[in-house]
């Protein structure tokens, strides 16, 4: 159990276009999902927290108008990179939070989406 | 930045040797977790240690936590070539989000 999928796994787009990345929790409901960005050989940087039915909470320095997040259902969150530029090229990873044992929460990560903007 | 630091940044060992990675963090935590990432892939959760725990084992993995020093270590015993990956610690200041360390790239040579 606790499988999270992302689609697409890879995408190449031209500068100025928008790209949508989907994150789905396949076998559990996730009221909260997270979006991370990872540069080559670097760590994951949290971009935003996506809450079902409400606006996402963005981390400092992340442009909310550029990275649109929609969490329309308990199993789906989407990240749209608007007017993409080459510097937006990166590996984007989502995770979904599920209650674990003893009141703690565990995050389950998707396989990631490699975005290349040309 | 709240991001934690890991050392070493890179580690190369032979199969059968033990690998030790260290993580230091900055804020108080609810728990600390270790993840593994194969190149170009998502993250796999390895182990979670709560702030009131000092040591935890899972198979060939041993994690220690010293909250007074704000540090943790991950030991992989009897390493295998398949253990080659990047390893990240992640702290949970609360139940809402994870803050990842800088990562250690482990290479295990057969």
């Amino acid at each position: 159990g606790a499988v999270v999928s992302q689609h697409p796994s890879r995408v190449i787009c031209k500068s100025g276009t928008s790209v949508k990345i989907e994150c789905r929790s396949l076998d559990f409901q996730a009221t909260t999902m997270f979006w991370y960005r990872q540069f080559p050989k670097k760590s994951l940087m949290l971009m935003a927290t996506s809450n079902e039915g409400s606006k996402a909470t963005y981390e400092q320095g992340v442009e909310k108008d550029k990275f649109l997040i929609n969490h329309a259902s308990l199993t789906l969150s989407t990240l749209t990179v608007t007017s993409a530029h080459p510097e937006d090229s990166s590996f984007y990873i989502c995770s979904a939070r599920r209650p674990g044992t003893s009141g703690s929460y565990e995050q389950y990560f998707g396989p990631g989406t490699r975005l290349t903007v040309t | 930045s709240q991001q934690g630091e890991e050392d070493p940044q890179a580690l190369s060992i032979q199969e059968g040797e033990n690998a030790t990675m260290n993580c230091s963090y900055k804020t108080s935590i609810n728990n600390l977790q270790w993840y593994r990432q194969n190149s170009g892939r998502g993250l796999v959760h390895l182990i979670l240690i709560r702030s009131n725990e000092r040591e935890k084992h899972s198979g060939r993995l041993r994690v220690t936590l010293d909250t007074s020093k704000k540090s943790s270590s991950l030991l992989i015993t009897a390493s295998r070539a398949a253990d080659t990956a990047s390893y990240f610690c992640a702290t949970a200041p609360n139940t809402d989000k994870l803050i990842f360390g800088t990562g250690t790239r482990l290479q295990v040579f057969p």
Side-chain angles (χ1 to χ4, degrees), chain A:
Chain A
V3 178
V4 176
S5 70
Q6 277 184 245
H7 178 80
S9 58
R10 290 176 181 271
V11 58
I12 301 172
C13 70
K14 293 185 184 295
S15 285
T17 61
S18 295
V19 174
K20 180 184 284 188
I21 302 170
E22 294 184 349
C23 177
R24 293 181 186 272
S25 56
L26 298 185
D27 51 2
F28 65 100
Q29 293 184 333
T31 55
T32 303
M33 291 184 175
F34 302 90
W35 287 96
Y36 296 84
R37 180 173 181 176
Q38 185 179 31
F39 291 102
K41 296 185 179 180
K42 297 292 184 182
S43 186
L44 280 75
M45 299 299 295
L46 179 64
M47 299 174 66
T49 302
S50 170
N51 296 297
E52 188 266 337
S54 65
K55 290 183 179 181
T57 304
Y58 289 82
E59 294 299 302
Q60 193 173 9
V62 177
E63 298 176 62
K64 61 181 180 182
D65 293 331
K66 180 164 188 62
F67 299 100
L68 300 179
I69 291 172
N70 183 279
H71 195 154
S73 78
L74 287 171
T75 59
L76 173 64
S77 175
T78 60
L79 168 69
T80 301
V81 182
T82 63
S83 187
H85 290 278
E87 56 265 31
D88 298 325
S89 297
S90 193
F91 194 54
Y92 292 89
I93 303 177
C94 73
S95 70
R97 191 179 76 172
R98 188 181 80 164
T101 57
S102 304
S104 66
Y105 286 88
E106 296 179 4
Q107 287 191 31
Y108 295 90
F109 285 81
T113 296
R114 172 79 58 198
L115 169 64
T116 303
V117 185
T118 61

